[in-house]
Amino acid sequence: MYVLYEESGNFKAQKIFSQSDSTMQVESESGKRSKIKNAAVLFNFEQPVPAELMTQAEALAQTLEIDFLWECAPQEEFEATAFAEDYFGHVPSAVEKAALIFALNSAPAYFHRRGKGCYRPAPPDILAAALAAIEKKQKQAAQQQEWTDQMMAGVLPEPIAEVASSLLTRPDKNTLQWKAFEAAVNQTGTSPEKLLLSLGAWPHALALRQHQFLSTHFPQGTEFAPVTLEEVGSDLPVTDVIAYSVDDSSTIEVDDALSVSTIDENTVRVGIHIAVPGLAVCRDNEFDKLARRRMSTVYIPGLKIPMLPRELISAFSLDEGQQRPALSLYVTANLSTGEVLSSETRLERITVKENLRHNTLDAQVTEEALNDPDAALPYGEWLRPLWRLAIQLAAQREQVRGKPENNNRVEYSFVLDGPHDNPDSRVQLVPRRRNAPLDRLVAEYMILANNTWGGLLAQHGVPGIYRSQQAGRVRMSTHALPHEAIGVPQYAWSTSPLRRYVDLVNQWQILAAAEHGVSARLVAPFKPKDADLYAIIGAFESQYTAWSDYQSAMERYWCLRWLQQQGITTVQGSIIRDDLVRLDCAPFVTRVAALPELERGQVVSLDIMGFDELGLEIDCRLREVVEA
């Protein structure tokens, strides 16, 4: 004896092995036994054997017209095996009963299930609606398949082109366009970016990458609406120091300037003057909300997306010849030993005499010229004492670090002679060593300010945002902790408030500490254990990483363009480790396939086989090992 039963939505026919009141054991053709409930059985039969029953019943079910079945069926609930006798006009065979059950079950729009083997015909109005929905779904499936086929053939359908801008960043995954696009991606085995680029949704890889970044992080555009500023700082005392700033030629946000005055042969008073946008940008005001959304200025070759509106930058940037508010740290120090004798923080107005630029001074400001009092040196009366003290301060930090800083690597500026969004713009790679004297000098005083002001906050119990490094781990926190890599007891970013939100937050806290001293913790914008300060750290780190990653990606892109524009097909590089090579001619690190085991620092010559501007990689092969 055999049974037809239903299990997990599937029909099965098997031989009865044993049976009890509520269950039975059945045996498959292969001999496998399983236990089922009697309630799952649709009917028993003696012939044909189960495998033939299933084959014959499925074939017969295909011949039954569902429309005719619906017309013939009772209008109330009915049992399929009973209806089979009326439909076939005789006592149905096991094959006929199974075929009818299969047919009824395959048409849920026509027949609604009402339990094991029982059905009810759908009312005419409900059936009409269901059939219309099925037809609509079939048409949608056909349309979706048509779009997928077109993309597989290299054609971009117009409906896909219309939503292409959202497919990579904010896709509506319920639309036919997305489903067709996703199917094309899966069938081609490529990435969404590569498929869209190959279909011409974007004219080139640069446009696609810029779209991804800007639509994700700046969906409303990068420009601020015009803002109006009230005058601030006009009542501050005016200082008559002679101060200069040193920046790249492209810098528009002049955050810092330096002044120096000689007290005696071995003692100087150095002024570190920082722009004070914190006078206008206050916690939770409209300017603060704008700055907090961006967290930092974005720098990519040919483009800068500022953190603050241009009106604010213009009002507080320490531009030459303009009287501006400044948060000044005055340090009195011994030139021979680097000992800091005293420090004072003041809020005042200064006029920077001149904004100096690296590209016009680096060639003249050498260590030899700085160390030789008789050598020709522009701004020598300002540079030489600053340099002497900077050397002593660096030596003190080096003693704490226990080893010299490695600042010999060449860094590059990217200069475009055309729009940043045009891949045909010519790019120049302008090299500059990190340990150039002007770089070292300015960096030393920024470290001094960040260390001193971080100590001021800690001294008065005012929380700030510190950047520390211990046991090789770099992190940000609200507590003063050592930065072992720099060699200072604490380090609070505070010298770039026009460009970094963390510096702006610390500036508010420093202003409170400088004005109120021991009572500052009661009046500072952020009190100890303020949860919002921790939220700022998390948001800043996330945003700053996103900006940094995009900057790196765009620099890699323009390196690829530079190599192609220069017609370079053979390059030299140095082994970093394993198959990783740093090129000598550009700031670019690449992997080289099938590279033999080589020592770190070995120089190799590479043949460039091709460029992947979307993946930001070059395809290169080892030409020869040049030297150890």
Side-chain angles (χ1 to χ4, degrees), residues 63-178:
T63 68
L64 303 182
E65 296 183 11
I66 300 300
D67 287 340
F68 185 64
L69 279 175
W70 182 78
E71 291 177 3
C72 296
Q75 293 305 298
E76 66 279 356
E77 183 178 318
F78 63 88
E79 188 176 344
T81 53
F83 175 49
E85 183 170 349
D86 293 338
Y87 181 77
F88 288 106
H90 58 260
V91 176
S93 66
V95 170
E96 289 173 331
K97 287 192 290 186
L100 187 66
I101 291 172
F102 294 170
L104 296 173
N105 202 69
S106 69
Y110 286 84
F111 297 98
H112 301 164
R113 293 192 60 173
R114 287 293 184 268
K116 182 192 68 173
C118 295
Y119 297 87
R120 180 178 179 178
D125 55 337
I126 294 177
L127 175 62
L131 293 178
I134 291 172
E135 183 181 8
K136 179 181 178 182
K137 189 173 182 179
Q138 290 172 339
K139 287 181 178 179
Q140 289 177 338
Q143 178 66 84
Q144 177 183 320
Q145 187 60 50
E146 180 184 347
W147 289 339
T148 298
D149 292 342
Q150 287 178 322
M151 286 184 279
M152 295 287 291
V155 177
L156 181 64
E158 185 60 31
I160 304 295
E162 291 173 357
V163 298
S165 60
S166 68
L167 290 177
L168 299 179
T169 52
R170 299 183 305 279
D172 182 349
K173 296 189 177 182
N174 294 317
T175 63
L176 290 182
Q177 290 95 324
W178 166 259

Side-chain angles (χ1 to χ4, degrees), residues 242-258 273 275 313-314 316-322 324 350-361 379 382 438 498:
I242 298 175
Y244 298 90
S245 67
V246 184
D247 293 285
D248 292 328
S249 57
S250 61
T251 299
I252 59 170
E253 311 125 311
V254 182
D255 281 296
D256 56 85
L258 299 172
H273 311 283
I313 294 172
S314 178
F316 290 96
S317 176
L318 301 181
D319 299 336
E320 61 186 32
Q322 303 295 316
R324 295 286 159 76
I350 70 167
T351 302
V352 172
K353 187 172 183 178
E354 193 174 345
N355 297 137
L356 307 181
R357 303 298 180 181
H358 283 290
N359 59 308
T360 60
L361 282 180
Y379 311 98
W382 175 73
L438 274 176
L498 292 171

